[in-house]
Amino acid sequence: MTFRVLARTLILLGSELISSDIVALYELVKNAFDAGSRRVVIEVVVRLKYTDIERLRERLIERLDKRRFSVADNTADRLAMEEFRQEFLDAVDLTAPDARVFQHTVEHAATWDILTDTLTEANYIVVSDTGEGMTLDTLEDAFLTIGTRSRHAVLQSRRANGNLRPILGEKGVGRLSTMRLGERLHIESTTSGEAHWNVLDIDWSLLSHDSDELLEAFPVDARRGRQKDDPAFSGTHIRISSLNAEWTVEKLESFARKEFSRLTDPFAAKTVFPISLHFNGELVSIQRFDKLLLKHAHATVRAQFKGEPDGMMRLTGTVQYKERQRTFALEGTHLASTTDSSPYILNSLGPFSIEVYWYNRKVLTEIEGIGNRREVLALVNTWGGGVMVFRDGFRVLPYGGPDDDWLGLDRKAFGSGGYKVNRAQIIGRLSISSRDNPALTDQTNREGLRDCPEKGALMKLLLYVVRTELKTFLDTVDKDIQAREPVAIEELEQRVRSEGQRVEDNLVELARRVPEIQQHQPLLKGIREALAQIDNLIQDVQEVASSYEEGRGQLLHLAGIGLTVEMLAHELNRATEYALITLGDASSKQMPQPVGALIQTLEAQLKTLQKRLRLLDPLSTAARQRKETFDVVVLVQDVVDAHADRFAREGITCMVVTEPSNGRPQLRIKAVKGMIIQVVENLVANSVYWLRQQRTLDPMHRSQIQVTVDTAAQEIRVWDNGPGVPYELRERVFEAFFSTKPAGEGKGLGLFIGREIARYHGADLYLAEKPSGPDKTLHTFILTLGGMAT
């Protein structure tokens, strides 16, 4: 029999894979649901305290060892048994179910073996359902086999008959829960139409040592049991005794309040699967979620991820706060960028929905129907904890629990300013299904989802909904952004220095692994000089910022310079990191050609960065100067030329066009030159980033950028043939901290600062209103210059 071969493996699986008592009970609840039962009843019976059982068991072991190794003395043995029996009786809780019958068994136990067995059966847990039940063959073959496909066969049969009820259990691991809870298992099960119950008894303790003879003789055969009162009845009773842990009414009440109350979806209109919980015959109440609390949330966000008729996945949703509402959508390249995932992974992830309710704990008030502020706060404390996950209406542990921060919301919240959207403020539900999300499967120990690309994409989408949509909307509505600076210069300085240190570390590692690089002193000197220039620039920004008293416009300018400097430091770091990655672990003697190519690549990238640094050099002091008159055509050409090598590496064709073609080839404006450079630089850098993302989805894409200086209309237009900006995001991209780039790729400040700079000059920065391309997105940014023209 398969079970005998895997017996010891089963013991290990039961104790190691099922990590807690609540997980074990939850798996047995899911078994009842899978059996087609309409409800499940869990009864915990405790007739002796766990400490008393342990104490009495030690006494038994001592007495049995003494009998085994000493001369038989019937009188002494009888007296010892009487003493033990009385100690046993004194420990029995007379209020427990069948306590008198249990006492009678103890009083009339004629041997030590009977007393041992009675002590073992003192406390037990029974899980009962009225599902389809199991036949004798099913008990013997399917129930005791790990990895059985019997559930799969049931699911296929149900679907064939139009029954869409899902199967929650996976690979039969749920039955290992009984080992977690106790050492003895007694199952009674029957199907409709059978005349008798089918019975299986297992004592797992018999497998807890290394006797191969005992293993072969291990009794696991199912047998026919007592006759049924009603042949039409079906169901299963699982009784677990010789419990492995202490069970008290307080423990069960805690489980009821913290765990059982949310084992099934509390947001649903009606209970998905009723659970009845009892301790020593008394009902333990499972607190139901008061949905009235949801109606009083200070902010809500609801989103759906699903496929469109064209076969592409799309995230759409609505966020509400203080009687204001905003819809959002994410698709195409922006969706792929946010999740850092391919269309294949996004389709494999499948559809889901999420709803999040946010509570500002500082302003919680009395809610009629719930209670005073303290009672409302207690309810938020009980149910808050982040985003809970429900598959087919049943919770996936431990997500959204008090000790779980699976989305890292607290780490992000406590490290930021403004509203702290942390787990304690959130009651959330993610709804998935086994049918629509087959890639999202449980870990074998039932502690979360298995790691896979689909799970990674899911987490990034959830973070986008909570951080980018919910949090930024809260900040926007309350004008928090206008009340604080968009970026701290000190923070930028620290980030620049951190990038610089990483470059230095990379150079040391390159020298260790490629000694030949030491012969290229001009290259090394150039890199370190670039680092020093970057450091000087950020110091200039810091010094000028500290001397400013002229208002927000100049501070925005400095923040923008700081971001640009950080970007250059980051690119220099990436260049040296790429060299290390390409080298791998090979020695220079093994790959002389790649070493030379790497040095040439580093030199080319350094040359590009030096050009851009020369453009930036006047920016840090531009704010000390007054507005000056200059030719914007020349300025735009200089910015584009500084990116020439980068365009070549990225495979981008970039053109500078002056319109009208028969007009004057220059446009002189009066402005702070460094600020205009900054805006154009940011627009070009954005185009490069999104064209790179477009090529990730379509490697054959021919990337193009066109920067047009229209001397008649007095404006600069920056166009690219990347994914474009969805029409509904045409204004949101200019909000501070809004970005569809993945974490670490953007702060969501570039366009915000660009527009602020434009308005500082009496101009504007906006997206062309006319959608273009088959996807009807916006591809052209326009910087007006009318207020600056001379």
Side-chain angles (χ1 to χ4, degrees):
M1 186 176 182
T2 304
F3 175 74
R4 286 196 178 101
V5 177
L6 298 176
R8 289 203 181 95
T9 303
L10 279 168
I11 291 292
L12 291 173
L13 286 173
S15 60
E16 298 297 329
L17 295 185
I18 307 301
S19 56
S20 66
D21 291 339
I22 189 62
V23 172
L25 286 175
Y26 187 25
E27 289 303 311
L28 295 176
V29 168
K30 291 198 290 186
N31 281 353
F33 179 86
D34 289 345
S37 182
R38 293 187 175 182
R39 64 184 305 113
V40 65
V41 178
I42 300 175
E43 301 174 87
V44 178
V45 174
V46 175
R47 293 182 287 210
L48 274 79
K49 292 180 180 179
Y50 187 74
T51 53
D52 288 336
I53 290 178
E54 291 295 293
R55 176 173 51 81
L56 291 170
R57 183 178 285 129
E58 289 180 6
R59 290 284 307 277
L60 274 172
I61 292 172
E62 291 174 3
R63 186 60 199 173
L64 293 176
D65 286 345
K66 185 177 292 186
R67 292 185 70 210
R68 187 178 298 113
F69 298 111
S70 61
V71 179
D73 184 342
N74 292 335
T75 300
D77 192 61
R78 186 176 67 255
L79 290 174
M81 186 178 294
E82 287 295 332
E83 182 182 347
F84 179 83
R85 185 183 290 114
Q86 188 57 52
E87 190 176 352
F88 194 161
L89 291 170
D90 290 342
V92 175
D93 180 359
L94 298 179
T95 65
D98 300 323
R100 297 298 180 185
V101 175
F102 185 73
Q103 272 190 321
H104 184 269
T105 303
V106 175
E107 289 170 350
H108 293 82
T111 66
W112 287 105
D113 287 343
I114 294 176
L115 283 171
T116 301
D117 188 69
T118 304
L119 181 63
T120 301
E121 293 294 324
N123 300 340
Y124 58 87
I125 297 171
V126 176
V127 181
S128 304
D129 68 64
T130 55
E132 299 163 350
M134 291 177 281
T135 64
L136 201 61
D137 289 341
T138 302
L139 261 183
E140 189 168 66
D141 296 332
F143 186 82
L144 290 175
T145 304
I146 298 301
T148 177
R149 294 182 60 82
S150 62
R151 298 259 174 102
H152 178 74
V154 171
L155 181 60
Q156 295 298 103
S157 174
R158 285 181 182 176
R159 289 181 177 174
N161 295 324
N163 183 353
L164 300 181
R165 183 171 178 141
I167 294 292
L168 304 178
E170 294 179 53
K171 301 182 180 179
V173 178
R175 69 208 57 175
L176 300 177
S177 300
T178 62
M179 301 179 198
R180 166 75 194 195
L181 296 172
E183 293 184 338
R184 284 193 179 185
L185 174 65
H186 175 79
I187 300 176
E188 293 184 352
S189 189
T190 184
T191 61
S192 180
E194 287 189 293
H196 295 80
W197 287 87
N198 305 304
V199 179
L200 178 69
D201 286 297
I202 301 175
D203 187 347
W204 305 111
S205 67
L206 298 179
L207 291 173
S208 60
H209 54 76
D210 298 325
S211 171
D212 288 333
E213 287 187 352
L214 182 60
L215 182 60
E216 289 301 317
F218 187 70
V220 295
D221 293 327
R223 67 183 188 279
R224 178 178 292 181
R226 57 189 171 86
Q227 188 170 351
K228 289 162 57 176
D229 296 331
D230 179 7
F233 177 83
S234 63
T236 299
H237 303 305
I238 298 177
R239 174 183 166 124
I240 304 156
S241 54
S242 189
L243 302 180
N244 292 325
E246 182 176 18
W247 287 83
T248 63
V249 66
E250 291 80 16
K251 176 179 179 176
L252 206 58
E253 286 174 344
S254 176
F255 277 178
R257 182 176 63 257
K258 298 178 181 179
E259 305 293 348
F260 280 104
S261 58
R262 61 189 85 190
L263 285 186
T264 59
D265 188 352
F267 292 64
K270 63 178 182 179
T271 303
V272 177
F273 190 57
I275 302 172
S276 183
L277 199 59
H278 301 264
F279 184 86
N280 279 355
E282 296 293 327
L283 181 68
V284 175
S285 177
I286 298 176
Q287 181 184 10
R288 300 303 175 190
F289 181 59
D290 194 334
K291 298 181 184 64
L292 183 61
L293 183 64
L294 301 181
K295 296 180 180 179
H296 288 80
H298 296 110
T300 62
V301 58
R302 295 178 176 87
Q304 302 80 39
F305 184 67
K306 60 183 180 180
E308 296 297 317
D310 60 3
M312 300 300 289
M313 301 301 288
R314 189 168 188 250
L315 179 73
T316 59
T318 303
V319 57
Q320 295 176 311
Y321 180 50
K322 289 188 175 179
E323 300 182 354
R324 292 179 58 184
Q325 177 175 303
R326 180 170 70 193
T327 59
F328 59 88
L330 201 60
E331 58 189 339
T333 306
H334 293 276
L335 178 63
S337 174
T338 298
T339 60
D340 197 20
S341 302
S342 67
Y344 173 80
I345 294 299
L346 295 173
N347 278 279
S348 178
L349 168 58
F352 64 81
S353 65
I354 178 176
E355 52 189 289
V356 173
Y357 300 83
W358 179 83
Y359 298 85
N360 185 344
R361 298 158 64 87
K362 293 181 179 179
V363 298
L364 285 174
T365 60
E366 175 184 352
I367 297 178
E368 185 177 353
I370 294 180
N372 59 33
R373 183 187 183 280
R374 180 177 296 178
E375 292 169 316
V376 172
L377 180 60
L379 197 58
V380 172
N381 288 339
T382 297
W383 288 93
V387 179
M388 295 178 285
V389 181
F390 294 90
R391 180 193 293 111
D392 298 313
F394 285 78
R395 187 163 169 222
V396 178
L397 296 171
Y399 301 136
D403 301 319
D404 176 77
D405 187 18
W406 70 297
L407 295 177
L409 296 178
D410 285 354
R411 292 194 300 274
K412 179 71 175 180
F414 296 134
S416 66
Y419 277 115
K420 293 178 171 63
V421 179
N422 58 59
R423 293 189 306 116
Q425 297 171 301
I426 285 178
I427 300 174
R429 171 184 67 171
L430 169 68
S431 298
I432 61 176
S433 72
S434 53
R435 184 172 186 176
D436 291 336
N437 312 100
L440 301 178
T441 57
D442 290 354
Q443 296 184 49
T444 307
N445 66 356
R446 299 308 195 259
E447 289 286 336
L449 299 171
R450 288 189 176 95
D451 289 335
C452 63
E454 291 81 0
K455 176 189 174 184
L458 171 68
M459 293 179 66
K460 288 173 182 174
L461 285 172
L462 298 183
L463 286 172
Y464 174 84
V465 170
V466 176
R467 289 182 184 171
T468 302
E469 294 299 341
L470 174 60
K471 184 180 185 301
T472 59
F473 191 59
L474 296 177
D475 291 337
T476 300
V477 171
D478 284 343
K479 298 181 179 178
D480 181 57
I481 293 173
Q482 287 77 10
R484 61 186 173 101
E485 294 307 324
V487 67
I489 302 298
E490 294 82 359
E491 179 187 346
L492 278 173
E493 183 180 11
Q494 180 59 42
R495 294 206 299 260
V496 169
R497 298 198 192 288
S498 178
E499 293 283 2
Q501 184 58 54
R502 283 196 284 270
V503 173
E504 289 286 359
D505 293 343
N506 290 341
L507 289 177
V508 171
E509 182 64 12
L510 275 170
R512 184 185 70 82
R513 290 160 63 174
V514 188
E516 293 96 322
I517 203 170
Q518 296 290 351
Q519 300 172 12
H520 296 263
Q521 287 302 316
L523 169 64
L524 299 177
K525 182 180 178 182
I527 291 176
R528 290 195 166 93
E529 285 178 351
L531 277 177
Q533 192 172 359
I534 286 171
D535 188 63
N536 290 335
L537 280 169
I538 201 68
Q539 285 188 46
D540 285 348
V541 170
Q542 178 68 43
E543 289 174 9
V544 177
S546 63
S547 67
Y548 264 147
E549 296 179 356
E550 297 182 20
R552 179 178 178 78
Q554 291 122 326
L555 285 172
L556 283 167
H557 165 58
L558 286 174
I561 299 170
L563 288 172
T564 308
V565 172
E566 182 196 8
M567 179 175 64
L568 289 176
H570 181 62
E571 288 184 23
L572 187 56
N573 178 36
R574 284 179 60 182
T576 52
E577 280 183 347
Y578 176 76
L580 287 172
I581 292 170
T582 304
L583 282 171
D585 294 322
S587 66
S588 59
K589 294 181 180 179
Q590 294 173 307
M591 46 185 302
Q593 288 302 117
V595 169
L598 280 173
I599 291 172
Q600 291 177 4
T601 300
L602 276 172
E603 288 174 337
Q605 290 172 323
L606 177 61
K607 184 178 179 181
T608 299
L609 287 168
Q610 286 172 334
K611 286 182 181 179
R612 293 168 69 190
L613 280 168
R614 282 195 293 272
L615 275 176
L616 269 179
D617 203 21
L619 272 111
S620 61
T621 56
R624 294 194 183 103
Q625 305 166 8
R626 296 296 178 182
K627 294 177 181 179
E628 59 182 300
T629 300
F630 57 91
D631 184 0
V632 76
V633 176
V634 174
L635 179 145
V636 167
Q637 190 66 60
D638 287 344
V639 171
V640 171
D641 287 346
H643 285 267
D645 290 338
R646 188 181 186 192
F647 294 148
R649 291 197 310 272
E650 300 279 357
I652 297 172
T653 300
C654 184
M655 297 175 56
V656 177
V657 176
T658 304
E659 292 184 352
S661 58
N662 59 351
R664 56 177 181 168
Q666 65 175 359
L667 175 60
R668 298 186 67 77
I669 64 172
K670 187 174 183 179
V672 179
K673 189 176 182 180
M675 290 187 176
I676 306 304
I677 291 175
Q678 181 186 327
V679 176
V680 177
E681 168 83 20
N682 180 261
L683 293 175
V684 172
N686 273 351
S687 290
V688 171
Y689 173 84
W690 287 111
L691 286 168
R692 185 188 306 130
Q693 301 307 309
Q694 185 71 32
R695 283 199 311 281
T696 301
L697 298 179
D698 180 10
M700 302 303 293
H701 183 71
R702 299 178 65 180
S703 301
Q704 298 176 356
I705 299 174
Q706 180 172 306
V707 184
T708 302
V709 181
D710 192 325
T711 60
Q714 297 182 340
E715 63 186 22
I716 299 172
R717 298 190 293 270
V718 179
W719 168 92
D720 65 66
N721 65 342
V725 177
Y727 184 77
E728 58 269 22
L729 297 181
R730 65 192 183 281
E731 283 300 315
R732 293 203 59 201
V733 295
F734 294 101
E735 292 179 5
F737 307 111
F738 175 83
S739 176
T740 58
K741 296 178 182 178
E745 291 288 347
K747 302 292 186 293
L749 285 169
L751 291 174
F752 169 72
I753 292 172
R755 174 174 275 186
E756 289 288 318
I757 287 174
R759 290 176 175 174
Y760 172 74
H761 285 85
D764 199 6
L765 176 65
Y766 62 94
L767 268 164
E769 287 289 326
K770 186 178 179 181
S772 61
D775 52 359
K776 303 299 182 185
T777 53
L778 306 177
H779 291 256
T780 305
F781 285 91
I782 300 176
L783 173 63
T784 65
L785 303 170
M788 301 178 246
T790 61

